[in-house]
Amino acid sequence: MEIIKSPNALKDALKAAQGSVGFVPTMGALHIGHKTLIQAAREANDIVVVSIFVNPTQFLPGEDLDAYPRRKEADEKICALAGVDFLFYPDVSDMYGEDEVSLIAPDVRGYILEGTSRPGHFSGVLTVVNKLLNIVRPDRAYFGRKDAQQLMLIREMVKNLFMDVEIVPCHTVRDSDGLALSSRNAYLSADERSEALKISRALTKASHLVGKGVLDCDRLYVEMLAVLEPLEVEHVAIVNRAFMPIDTVEVGNTIILVEAVVGTTRLLDNVWI
């Protein structure tokens, strides 16, 4: 595995390499969910690139940019063992200059749900993903379904900007207790982690109800909110896969999402129906 910091150096290395390129962009603090993305990239491509970059433009003032978990040595070991060919590890100065051109998230779908509680967040996400895709120029890029709104917006960006890359969504990976894996889970105390399990339980409850034929979204909202008590719920939403609100679950075209704050930690989870 070769570790590269410079965007131009990575571009040169990939020009010299032969074969298809799979790309997994991350912010580090890698866990089994990231390993699943890397494995999917490894199985479908000749060359695998992983980036680790804690992107400042997607953090709002007062958020956890400085405290975001960073585990450089562990991350490098995970990547090496997973068969990564190139680990891209840029500094902020490698990725951003002054008076930059930036992307703006869509006026509607970039400012609903998570975009309501974090206005401007998705503009930062799209800007950095656009930069990374332009550096790596992969055939395929791999993203987790857990960040469903992010995944949808990245797909829209690729479509709108006529970018020649396949965005590959991968299933959410959960711990044995059902909690969706996230680097931010490290912030949770034992009691907070126990409370956080209400998120996956609420989604499981909704899935079971849909399986029994309950398709009315208002009924599902009520049932989920009862399970989530007394968490600080930012949103419970039921949308189609274009992220448009719906009144009735459309099996095969629906995502049920939860965003909640546990202690001081914001957690996201969802289920695709």
Side-chain angles (χ1 to χ4, degrees):
M1 182 179 74
E2 185 175 354
I3 299 175
I4 298 177
K5 290 188 62 176
S6 162
N8 287 331
L10 179 59
K11 291 171 75 172
D12 290 343
L14 289 170
K15 284 178 184 177
Q18 298 291 322
S20 60
V21 176
F23 178 41
V24 181
T26 82
M27 294 209 302
L30 303 182
H31 50 65
I32 294 173
H34 295 111
K35 288 177 66 177
T36 300
L37 299 178
I38 296 170
Q39 288 166 359
R42 181 75 281 165
E43 290 170 3
N45 300 278
D46 301 305
I47 301 160
V48 175
V49 180
V50 171
S51 65
I52 295 178
F53 180 63
V54 181
N55 174 43
T57 66
Q58 70 191 66
F59 288 80
L60 276 60
E63 290 191 338
D64 58 338
L65 173 60
D66 292 336
Y68 194 86
R70 292 164 170 84
R71 300 168 184 157
K72 187 173 186 292
E73 291 184 5
D75 288 347
E76 290 177 6
K77 185 174 182 180
I78 288 170
C79 288
L81 291 174
V84 171
D85 297 292
F86 297 102
L87 176 56
F88 182 43
Y89 226 139
D91 292 327
V92 173
S93 60
D94 297 316
M95 296 294 291
Y96 290 102
E98 295 182 2
D99 197 25
E100 286 247 345
V101 174
S102 298
L103 292 182
I104 303 298
D107 289 341
V108 177
R109 288 180 295 171
Y111 288 86
I112 60 172
L113 306 180
E114 188 182 1
T116 300
S117 57
R118 306 181 73 192
H121 165 70
F122 287 119
S123 294
V125 170
L126 295 177
T127 295
V128 77
V129 171
N130 184 49
K131 285 173 175 279
L132 290 167
L133 292 176
N134 281 326
I135 293 166
V136 178
R137 297 293 177 115
D139 296 275
R140 303 172 189 87
Y142 296 79
F143 295 86
R145 284 186 172 186
K146 185 182 76 68
D147 296 305
Q149 189 173 3
Q150 170 181 283
L151 172 62
M152 177 273 297
L153 290 170
I154 290 170
R155 285 175 132 176
E156 285 296 302
M157 176 186 72
V158 165
K159 176 183 176 183
N160 294 162
L161 299 184
F162 306 101
M163 301 172 73
D164 190 16
V165 57
E166 178 186 356
I167 301 300
V168 182
C170 295
H171 290 290
T172 299
V173 178
R174 300 182 179 279
D175 216 332
S176 58
D177 57 8
L179 187 66
L181 294 183
S182 168
S183 300
R184 286 192 166 95
N185 290 350
Y187 298 154
L188 300 172
S189 68
D191 288 343
E192 289 168 347
R193 184 182 175 91
S194 180
E195 284 293 289
L197 295 177
K198 293 178 179 179
I199 298 172
S200 57
R201 288 172 186 156
L203 291 166
T204 299
K205 175 79 170 181
S207 297
H208 287 167
L209 287 169
V210 171
K212 292 179 180 179
V214 178
L215 303 180
D216 179 67
C217 293
D218 287 339
R219 166 80 184 279
L220 295 173
Y221 290 134
V222 170
E223 296 283 353
M224 292 179 69
L225 288 170
V227 176
L228 290 164
E229 285 287 345
L231 295 184
E232 179 185 340
V233 177
E234 295 285 350
H235 67 252
V236 172
I238 304 175
V239 298
N240 64 24
R241 295 189 186 179
F243 268 69
M244 303 301 292
I246 54 177
D247 296 321
T248 304
V249 170
E250 304 166 6
V251 176
N253 188 39
T254 296
I255 308 175
I256 304 176
L257 307 102
V258 175
E259 178 185 0
V261 178
V262 182
T264 60
T265 305
R266 187 182 306 276
L267 297 175
L268 301 171
D269 201 354
N270 61 72
V271 62
W272 297 48
I273 302 293

